[in-house]
Every structure is written in C-alpha cells, then in structure tokens.
Amino acid sequence: HVEDEEEKMSPSKKQVLDHGVKVASHYNQLQEVGRAARSRSRIFFMRNFNNWLKSVLIGEILEQVRGAGSQQVSVLDLGCGKGGDLLKWRRGGIDHLVCADIAGVSVEQCQIRYDEMKKKSHRNEKIFTAEFITADCSKELLSEKLDDAELMFDICSCQFVYHYSFESEQKANMMLRNACERLKPGGYFIGTTPDAFELVKRLEASDSLSFGNEVFKVTFQSKGSYPLFGCQYHFNLEEVVNVPEFLVYFPLFEHMAKQYNMQLVLKQRFADFFEEKVKKENHRSLMMKMMALEPFPSEDGLQASDSAEEYCHAKEHC
Ligand code: SAM
C-alpha cells in the first residue's frame, strides 16, 4: 500500500515518490465490489448521475461526428479506468476503441469487461474492436504504443482524469498532446474535470483548510495563493477516491490546447448541462431509468460487475 510505504520513508524520499505511482497504486487497489454492493453505496445516485451525464455527452458528440460524415468512428478513452464507459461506446455503435490508463489492474479489468461484453452480445450485433494500453499518459507518448501507428481518432474522451496531470506543465502538456495530436481534423476532445473556481471558492469560505460533507472531503495544504500547476488538494469520496489531485485552471488549459489547433466548443458546469439536456425526452427517460433503480434484484442473470447503466440496457433487451 502506497501510504504504508510512504510511512517508512524519510521526508526527502517521500517527495520523490511520483504522483503517478500513487494514482496507479490507488486505482489498482480499488476492489471491484459488484453491482449489488454498489447499489447500497451512499454515492449510488451520484455515480448514476455521472454516468447519465457521460452517456449524454458521448451520445451527442457521436451525433456530431456522424453528422460531419465520419463513417468509421475511432475513439481514444484516455484514463479509461475499469471500462465504465464501454457500454456507452457500444450503444454509440463506434468501430474502434483504444483504452489507455496508468493503472495496469484497471486496464486488465477493462479488457475482461470488453471480452464479456462481446461474448454476451447478440448474434447480429457488431461490437467495436478494441486495444488496451497501460501507460502514464502524462509521461509517455501513446502514439508510439498503438497497434496501428497511423490510427487517427474522431474523439478523445477523458472522463474525470485530466486533473491528475496538472501536477506540472510538462505532464499537463503530455496529456494534452496524447489527447489531441492524433485527432482527425474536426475531431473532438471531450472530458469532465472538477471546477477549480468552485473548489477555491469553497475553500476560501471555509474556516479551515478543508470542506465537504459526510460523503466527500477536499483538503488543501494552504490557501490564499494558487499556483498554475501543482496546486494539490486531497480528495476523499466514500470508498472510491482517496488520492491527491490538482487544480485545473481552465483558461490556461484552453490556452494550452490552442497549440494543438483546438478550439473551445463548449464548457459547462454539471448543473447547467443537466438543466439543458434533461429537457430532451430521450435523455430524460434514461435519467428516470437510472435514478429509479433501487438495490438490484440478485437473480436477474446479470454479472455482478454490471453497472446501473448496463442493468438498464439489459432490461431493455429482456
Ligand atoms: N474515465 C473512467 C471513468 O470515467 O469511469 C475512470 C475515471 S477515474 C476517476 C480516473 C482514472 O484516471 C483512473 O483510472 C486513473 O488510473 C486514471 N489516470 C490518472 N492519471 C493517469 C495518467 N497519468 N495516465 C493514464 N491514466 C491516468
């Protein structure tokens, strides 16, 4: 365990322990608790909300890509984790997916999930091809690890990941390079990341160095001054996240992306995104289905690793 290892180290060595090692170790140790346990979790509805939001974002961006005439859709899932978005790509009918993550165990689980998904698919359903890469995407060049060195992406999706790279300019830039340099002209980089302005606002309003509630806690080391890179805070969320993260100063991120010819299309807070998208019938009905799910029945023939979203999907096909 990283924290145990850290305990034994001298203070100078502690600083040397790479942040990427901490992140990989944290996510590698996260247990796959199964659907039933997840449904009892206090963050069950928050997870479902986040999944709904990602589903809508991914669905709408795929519409844009198809509308622009892309026939064969290739996607890079940067920081794919255990493959929580695989079903979204399946629903979107993409052709090829590259899954990359720093945590080797997560990448393995992602691959297992993909293999199971393929096995369980309907006879005449064509499931996308996929490749899996374990890499620190804030240090290593992904294009050098691709099966097809010429592969170009329509979309790079980076969900709840980019903030880990804002430790230094070099890392943030490498992550951005991996996200953008192999995008087709007109391709999209989509993602979700904490709002640095909101975090700082809440910290400044707090009479200590932390804020939160019974489910989450954010702790800074100091306040009053916030460096552009390496502004670290510790994020603790129930049984899921307990790892240091970094503020992403969005105007700087937007500026950095310009070197890859990227242009900002949309930036929205979750609450505003929700307000806007929930008005559409199809998005609202997915939200209703996902939120209405109470602890899952156990004998429905689904795998323990199925998420609320997979459960909805399976029910629709039953
Ligand atoms: N994108 C997935 C999702 O939405 O379910 C996982 C999100 S999880 C909060 C953050 C993921 O980012 C973890 O799987 C972690 O290993 C990955 N990650 C963090 N730093 C990374 C890096 N430098 N390179 C690649 N992956 C990284």
Side-chain angles (χ1 to χ4, degrees):
H1 194 278
V2 169
E3 273 158 21
D4 298 340
E5 279 165 29
E6 256 190 306
E7 273 305 294
K8 292 181 224 143
M9 286 181 182
S10 66
S12 58
K13 261 198 171 166
K14 272 187 194 178
Q15 285 169 2
V16 174
L17 189 62
D18 188 86
H19 179 256
V21 177
K22 281 189 190 180
V23 173
S25 167
H26 169 76
Y27 282 103
N28 275 334
Q29 284 171 42
L30 274 187
Q31 299 296 319
E32 183 64 25
V33 292
R35 186 161 43 80
R38 272 207 297 268
S39 74
R40 288 191 296 271
S41 160
R42 287 197 293 180
I43 57 167
F44 175 67
F45 291 105
M46 192 199 77
R47 273 172 177 278
N48 288 353
F49 177 77
N50 287 347
N51 266 315
W52 173 84
L53 191 137
K54 289 192 289 176
S55 295
V56 173
L57 179 63
I58 285 171
E60 292 206 342
I61 224 70
L62 282 168
E63 270 177 33
Q64 300 275 343
V65 164
R66 293 231 164 73
S70 221
Q71 305 288 327
Q72 292 282 309
V73 178
S74 292
V75 174
L76 168 62
D77 190 339
L78 194 58
C80 59
K82 298 178 189 341
D85 293 341
L86 285 173
L87 185 74
K88 301 175 187 67
W89 301 120
R90 175 185 179 183
R91 278 193 162 169
I94 67 163
D95 300 280
H96 187 65
L97 180 68
V98 174
C99 294
D101 200 285
I102 193 173
V105 176
S106 298
V107 176
E108 272 170 34
Q109 287 178 359
C110 181
Q111 182 153 13
I112 292 171
R113 224 165 159 176
Y114 167 76
D115 292 340
E116 279 173 1
M117 188 175 94
K118 252 176 91 167
K119 248 191 271 162
K120 286 192 277 174
S121 65
H122 317 289
R123 212 176 308 140
N124 41 14
E125 183 184 3
K126 186 181 157 282
I127 300 278
F128 55 86
T129 51
E131 60 184 285
F132 302 86
I133 301 172
T134 299
D136 182 342
C137 305
S138 64
K139 279 186 169 173
E140 299 163 76
L141 209 50
L142 270 182
S143 54
E144 288 172 357
K145 300 191 159 210
L146 289 172
D147 286 348
D148 170 7
E150 304 295 307
L151 184 65
M152 299 289 280
F153 300 105
D154 295 271
I155 299 167
C156 169
S157 171
C158 187
Q159 305 299 341
F160 302 106
V161 180
Y162 193 72
H163 44 287
Y164 293 110
S165 76
F166 244 65
E167 184 182 8
S168 67
E169 181 172 2
Q170 220 178 2
K171 288 190 173 188
N173 199 43
M174 180 55 94
M175 194 70 131
L176 198 53
R177 182 172 170 188
N178 279 323
C180 304
E181 78 169 356
R182 302 214 58 87
L183 283 179
K184 295 177 187 169
Y188 289 90
F189 174 28
I190 56 170
T192 41
T193 203
D195 180 348
F197 291 106
E198 185 65 29
L199 289 170
V200 170
K201 196 171 87 184
R202 292 195 194 193
L203 171 67
E204 291 288 341
S206 158
D207 51 15
S208 71
L209 288 177
S210 55
F211 59 88
N213 57 25
E214 69 279 11
V215 175
F216 85 95
K217 191 174 175 193
V218 173
T219 309
F220 280 77
Q221 285 152 345
S222 63
K223 60 176 162 179
S225 143
Y226 306 95
L228 292 177
F229 295 101
C231 192
Q232 186 176 311
Y233 59 92
H234 201 91
F235 179 49
N236 193 296
L237 174 72
E238 279 278 276
E239 69 276 21
V240 192
V241 191
N242 185 5
V243 79
E245 302 183 355
F246 301 94
L247 290 184
V248 177
Y249 180 54
F250 202 88
L252 173 60
F253 164 67
E254 188 186 343
H255 175 76
M256 287 166 66
K258 286 187 182 146
Q259 66 185 304
Y260 298 102
N261 296 323
M262 300 301 286
Q263 186 191 323
L264 183 64
V265 177
L266 177 75
K267 167 183 175 274
Q268 226 171 15
R269 287 174 53 86
F270 279 21
D272 301 328
F273 186 87
F274 168 76
E275 285 282 329
E276 187 186 315
K277 304 298 177 192
V278 83
K279 290 182 187 134
K280 270 189 153 180
E281 179 49 40
N282 56 338
H283 298 332
R284 188 169 52 248
S285 84
L286 179 64
M287 169 62 85
M288 301 299 276
K289 277 184 215 150
M290 289 173 80
M291 287 303 181
L293 288 171
E294 281 300 336
F296 298 102
S298 55
E299 282 163 308
D300 51 14
L302 293 169
Q303 296 295 309
S305 63
D306 288 333
S307 66
E309 192 187 6
E310 285 166 316
Y311 181 78
C312 288
H313 185 74
K315 282 277 175 210
E316 276 166 21
H317 283 86
C318 288

